[in-house]
Each structure stands twice: as structure tokens, then as C-alpha cells.
């Protein structure tokens, strides 16, 4: 038993000495790569949509807002900001649909006088600003677009 543990430690140490920052079985590495690709796809798809919106409207987009489950993942939020090139404001409320319904109810019941009163309510948010170098974004987006083109039926 001790020999197996020592062998395992030696393998990890050898991998690190060879320049590997982490060591994991092949299956785990593949699962991690698949999970990361799925998360990154969110950022690429949002960037594609914003490109269409910019082109259609002819208006620059200064910032976008996000809520929902993925907002709990700082990596993907930063990746979205980097790929879109715009500031991303992430609500501290995970489900803004329910909050919107509650706000409409406050106006409907007279708790608030109108929509302008909603702007006065306290709101917390995290801000993600693009930080990836433009040439890296361009390269990553080109790779994404090439992958999408390969999957489309012709």
C-alpha cells in the first residue's frame, strides 16, 4: 500500500517537474475540457448575437446585463465581457424574472407610484470589464467561427 502511494506521489512530482501545472487522469481532463468548452460557448454565442445587433441597429453597445444561473460563475462572466468587448453588469439577484414580477406587483398595488420609483430601489451588481488583449479575442473568435462553419450543413 505504501509503495503504491509513493509511486503515485512520484508520478505527480514527475509530471510537475516536466512542466505540467496539474495532473489528472485522461478522463478527468476530457471532462474538464468539455465543461470549459460548454461555458466558453455561452460567451461566443452572446458575442455573435451582439455583432448582429450592432450591425442591424448601427449603434454601439456600451454594456449588457446578466442574471440567472451562469452569473454565479466568475470565469464565464469575465469570458463574456472579453468576447463581447463590452462591460457586463451582473445582478446580485439570481432570477430577475421573479423580481420583475414583484416590481410590477408593487406598481399595480400602489406600493410604488410608478416605474421611475423602481430606479430608486437599491441594486447590487458585479461589473466585469473586458481585459483580454484584442489580438487574443480576435484569434479565439476566429477559431469559434471556424468550428461553427464546420458544423453547419451545406
Amino acid at each position: 500500500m505504501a509503495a503504491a502511494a509513493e509511486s503515485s506521489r512520484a508520478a505527480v512530482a514527475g509530471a510537475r517537474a516536466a512542466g505540467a501545472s496539474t495532473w489528472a487522469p485522461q478522463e478527468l481532463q476530457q471532462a474538464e475540457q468539455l465543461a470549459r468548452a460548454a461555458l466558453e460557448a455561452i460567451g461566443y454565442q452572446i458575442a455573435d448575437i451582439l455583432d448582429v445587433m450592432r450591425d442591424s441597429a448601427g449603434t454601439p453597445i456600451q454594456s449588457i446585463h446578466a442574471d440567472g444561473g451562469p452569473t454565479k460563475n466568475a470565469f464565464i462572466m469575465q469570458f463574456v465581457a472579453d468576447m463581447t468587448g463590452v462591460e457586463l453588469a451582473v445582478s446580485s439577484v439570481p432570477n430577475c424574472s421573479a423580481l420583475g414580477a414583484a416590481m410590477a406587483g408593487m406598481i399595480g398595488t400602489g406600493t410604488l407610484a410608478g416605474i421611475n420609483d423602481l430606479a430608486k430601489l437599491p441594486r447590487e451588481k458585479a461589473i466585469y470589464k473586458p481585459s483580454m488583449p484584442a489580438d487574443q479575442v480576435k484569434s479565439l473568435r476566429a477559431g469559434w467561427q471556424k468550428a461553427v462553419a464546420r458544423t453547419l450543413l451545406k
Side-chain angles (χ1 to χ4, degrees):
M1 183 84 102
E6 186 59 37
S7 175
S8 178
R9 281 194 289 272
V12 171
R16 286 190 178 136
S21 59
T22 59
W23 179 87
Q26 185 70 22
E27 297 80 17
L28 180 58
Q29 290 176 0
Q30 290 172 349
E32 290 171 348
Q33 290 168 344
L34 181 61
R36 182 176 175 134
L39 291 174
E40 288 179 348
I42 295 169
Y44 290 127
Q45 291 173 26
I46 292 171
D48 288 348
I49 291 167
L50 289 183
D51 286 347
V52 170
M53 291 172 67
R54 283 184 191 109
D55 292 346
S56 297
T59 304
I61 297 171
Q62 303 295 325
S63 67
I64 56 177
H65 296 259
D67 71 285
T71 61
K72 295 176 186 171
N73 186 313
F75 166 76
I76 189 57
M77 294 297 99
Q78 184 59 57
F79 194 75
V80 168
D82 289 336
M83 291 302 105
T84 61
V86 299
E87 181 177 282
L88 174 64
V90 176
S91 173
S92 64
V93 177
N95 187 344
C96 286
S97 297
L99 178 61
M103 290 175 163
M106 288 191 288
I107 293 171
T109 61
T111 305
L112 294 177
I115 202 162
N116 291 334
D117 289 344
L118 293 176
K120 298 174 189 172
L121 294 175
R123 294 182 302 221
E124 291 185 33
K125 59 185 172 187
I127 302 293
Y128 293 86
K129 295 184 179 191
S131 62
M132 189 180 288
D135 58 333
Q136 186 178 359
V137 171
K138 184 177 180 179
S139 174
L140 289 171
R141 297 263 333 259
W144 164 257
Q145 290 163 353
K146 185 177 177 182
V148 169
R150 284 194 311 253
T151 63
L152 296 176
L153 298 175
K154 293 184 182 189

